[in-house]
Amino acid sequence: MTRMIAAACVAALLLPAVAAAKGFDVDTATRAYLDLLTGPARAKSDAYFEGGYWLILWNAVVAIIVYGALLASGGSARIRDWAERWTSRRWLRRGLYALAFTLVTAVLFLPWTVWEGFVRESQYGLMSQTFGAWAVDQAKGLAIALFVNFWFFVGIFAIIRRFRRTWWAIGAAVTIAFAALGVAIAPVFIAPLFNTYTEMPAGPLRDRIVAVARANDIPAEHIYVADASRQTKRISANVSGLGPTIRITLNDNLLNRTGPDEVVAVMGHEMGHYVLGHIARSILGLGVLALLVFFAVSRIAPRLIARYPNWGVRDVADTAAAPLFLALASAATVVLAPALNTLVRTSESEADAFGLDAAREPDGFAKVAMRLSEYRKIEPGPVEEALFFDHPSGATRVRMSMQWKKDHVPDARIERPVMTFD
């Protein structure tokens, strides 16, 4: 009886709050945010993101042209012959081929890389670097690629030669192992080559973030800030690393261009990736896709090598076959893009839900979703979102935030936010 009386008292106290929540209209609250982005700003956002749809195709086309040219001209075979003249050691030949191949393809891709990575970003006002600073970062990336490709080519072609029938499965596993190693060491050895990472300064905002982290059993001894503003206007945060190297980082644009409620909302989202183990799950998902690609390549490549002897490629274990493998993989990226997008978008949506529960800042998260419209189309159609978005769209995120607000904030009221967009 005592429990029943207590429950009745609690219900009586909650009735006004529940009634207020029921008066909160999710559609109206969502539209109040979405209607902030209009006119030229929305057109610019849509144009940038929709152009990315075509980039999926054009990146593959450019790659196929470059790799096809290396095959058809016999250039790949000549690089292999050069490596064979330098040393009799088979493993070193593969590594030397990788170095020369990486340099040659970097030069061949350079015009496209400049347009996509610098010119296009500058045209849409997202680039903060001069061309010289951007080129320095690209040179650093090339140096890393030379080192990684040397050892990857040594390993993958040794596997192809040793395991003639099952190399595609073992090769996929080795590729994912390389990727996992890269994820693990990136925060410690690679990311600092491009940005400076400092501890977030002490203060009320850090205290709030630490409180959210501790409430979810997340280590919060270190919260890093990257000086991403030297490169881009984009606001972002991320979870990087694997195992002992996992860390949560926010960029300085997030601190400088948003309010405390938005920062906490974003950090709650990133903590969701940590708690839900999304990095490991993403690697596993990519492993499945890699297995499919390797299997397809193992069936198609030998037939093409036999059909075009003028390429000078001896067999699939010949390093000169590398452009063929990469051309086929590039074609596969177009076919598998929706699956990859869905894999990532599912994790992002789960992190969104976790972040709303953890940070309890629905309006902060809605505002961040709107700010991301600088480079993400805010309101796509459902099919468009399913095919091309690797994150939930801004409209989806704002609606999720407003639904959470209705469900969890007793006195929820529709905000009339004031935001400006370039």
Side-chain angles (χ1 to χ4, degrees), residues 4 27 169 178 226 270 367:
M4 292 177 64
D27 290 338
F178 263 81
E270 297 304 331
K367 283 185 278 188

Side-chain angles (χ1 to χ4, degrees), residues 204-216 218-223 271:
L205 181 54
R206 182 188 175 103
D207 292 342
R208 284 193 64 188
I209 294 171
V210 169
V212 173
R214 288 177 176 167
N216 291 278
I218 299 171
E221 291 81 8
H222 302 286
I223 300 174
M271 291 175 195

Side-chain angles (χ1 to χ4, degrees), residues 72-395:
S73 67
S76 183
R78 285 195 291 274
I79 295 174
R80 175 206 60 211
D81 293 342
W82 166 82
E84 290 178 347
R85 288 194 297 271
W86 268 90
T87 181
S88 60
R89 296 180 180 180
R90 186 174 290 168
W91 72 271
L92 187 54
R93 289 176 176 176
R94 298 172 186 139
L96 289 175
Y97 174 92
L99 295 178
F101 175 78
T102 302
L103 289 171
V104 169
T105 53
V107 172
L108 294 176
F109 277 112
L110 185 59
W112 180 255
T113 302
V114 170
W115 179 83
E116 183 181 10
F118 183 81
V119 174
R120 184 171 186 264
E121 293 295 296
S122 299
Q123 287 175 341
Y124 283 93
L126 297 173
M127 176 63 64
S128 298
Q129 288 180 301
T130 63
F131 180 77
W134 176 84
V136 169
D137 279 351
Q138 294 299 305
K140 293 176 183 176
L142 177 59
I144 294 169
L146 287 168
F147 178 81
V148 172
N149 287 350
F150 180 96
W151 294 109
F152 181 73
F153 275 51
V154 167
I156 202 72
F157 281 100
I159 289 169
I160 296 173
R161 180 168 294 278
R162 175 67 178 82
F163 303 97
R164 290 288 182 160
R165 304 186 66 171
T166 59
W167 68 263
W168 58 273
I170 301 172
V174 169
T175 299
I176 293 303
F178 263 81
L181 178 61
V183 169
I185 68 173
V188 180
F189 297 107
I190 298 176
L193 298 175
F194 298 90
N195 293 99
T196 300
Y197 290 80
T198 57
E199 286 281 355
M200 184 178 180
L205 181 54
R206 182 188 175 103
D207 292 342
R208 284 193 64 188
I209 294 171
V210 169
V212 173
R214 288 177 176 167
N216 291 278
D217 298 320
I218 299 171
E221 291 81 8
H222 302 286
I223 300 174
Y224 294 98
V225 179
D227 62 338
S229 59
R230 62 176 289 271
Q231 294 148 331
T232 182
K233 286 178 57 181
R234 299 173 191 240
I235 61 172
S236 70
N238 66 78
V239 176
S240 58
L242 197 64
T245 67
I246 285 182
R247 62 177 62 178
I248 297 175
T249 305
L250 60 153
N251 73 14
D252 56 350
N253 288 325
L254 181 63
L255 283 179
N256 298 333
R257 298 182 59 201
T258 67
D261 58 336
E262 296 171 74
V263 175
V264 174
V266 171
M267 296 307 285
H269 166 94
E270 297 304 331
M271 291 175 195
H273 286 308
Y274 177 93
V275 172
L276 300 173
H278 284 161
I279 292 179
R281 194 174 79 179
S282 294
I283 291 173
L284 180 61
L286 289 173
V288 173
L289 295 180
L291 195 65
L292 294 174
V293 172
F294 269 74
F295 178 76
V297 169
S298 73
R299 295 299 181 268
I300 298 172
R303 298 178 182 181
L304 291 175
I305 290 171
R307 184 172 181 178
Y308 297 101
N310 58 301
W311 290 349
V313 179
R314 298 161 186 160
D315 55 29
V316 292
D318 183 359
T319 51
L324 176 58
F325 294 165
L326 291 170
L328 293 172
S330 298
T333 60
V334 178
V335 177
L336 295 176
L340 180 58
N341 287 339
T342 299
L343 174 68
V344 177
R345 190 175 63 252
T346 300
S347 294
E348 294 295 334
S349 183
E350 291 174 356
D352 288 350
F354 181 96
L356 285 167
D357 288 336
R360 304 187 68 81
E361 289 286 0
D363 286 292
F365 195 68
K367 283 185 278 188
V368 168
M370 294 303 300
R371 293 189 196 280
L372 293 176
S373 66
E374 285 185 336
Y375 54 92
R376 290 182 189 156
K377 187 174 181 178
I378 196 70
E379 205 168 0
V383 175
E384 184 181 10
E385 185 167 358
L387 291 177
F388 297 111
F389 279 65
D390 61 358
H391 286 64
S393 69

Side-chain angles (χ1 to χ4, degrees), residues 7-30:
C9 291
V10 171
L13 289 172
L14 291 178
L15 276 176
V18 173
K22 286 184 177 178
F24 182 86
D25 185 73
V26 173
D27 290 338
T28 302
T30 300

